[in-house]
Amino acid sequence: MTATNPDTSQQAVVEAALVLLERMGLTPADLAAVPQHRPQVPTFAEYIPVVSAAVSAGTRRAYGSYWNRVIEHWGDRRLDEPTPSEIRQLMSYVKTHVVTRRNAAAAAAPKSTWWRRCAACTGGPSMTG
């Protein structure tokens, strides 16, 4: 096994970054000139009502109970905070605490799709319903 010099390794990373910047038509000064202030990502409690208002009544009926669960558990968290594994944990929790209704089988497919979309939007693996 060959030991790697940390300084050499770091230099290679810096050189690779410079090559990438050059190919993108940027310089390190371009990066430093970008304002660092970005708008804060909204919380689930702030954003879910916006989404709910933008969708049809049928979509709201199909997903509303799940959105309510997300607000209940993560309302004060920012949209970019939950990890894919946390999404899977919440999905499992909701599945084990579901209130079964007579028409539950017909409604299950759209809701399991929502969980997969939620995982996908956070970069997590696609999950089966």
Side-chain angles (χ1 to χ4, degrees), residues 86-110:
E86 288 176 312
I87 293 169
R88 282 190 290 277
Q89 289 170 354
L90 181 58
M91 181 179 77
S92 295
Y93 174 84
V94 169
K95 283 182 175 182
T96 59
H97 292 84
V98 68
V99 176
T100 306
R101 296 187 177 90
R102 285 187 304 193
N103 64 350

Side-chain angles (χ1 to χ4, degrees), residues 21-70:
L21 284 173
E22 182 181 337
R23 287 186 181 172
M24 295 172 67
L26 299 171
T27 67
D30 294 331
L31 298 179
V34 174
Q36 297 302 310
H37 177 69
R38 293 183 184 181
Q40 194 170 36
V41 175
T43 65
F44 284 95
E46 293 166 342
Y47 196 68
I48 287 176
V50 173
V51 172
S52 181
V55 300
S56 69
T59 300
R60 210 172 3 270
R61 276 192 304 275
Y63 295 111
S65 63
Y66 282 82
W67 293 338
N68 291 339
R69 291 284 184 107
V70 171

Side-chain angles (χ1 to χ4, degrees), residues 88 115-117 119-120 123-129:
R88 282 190 290 277
W115 287 109
R116 286 193 298 272
R117 288 179 183 153
S126 176
M127 296 179 283
T128 57

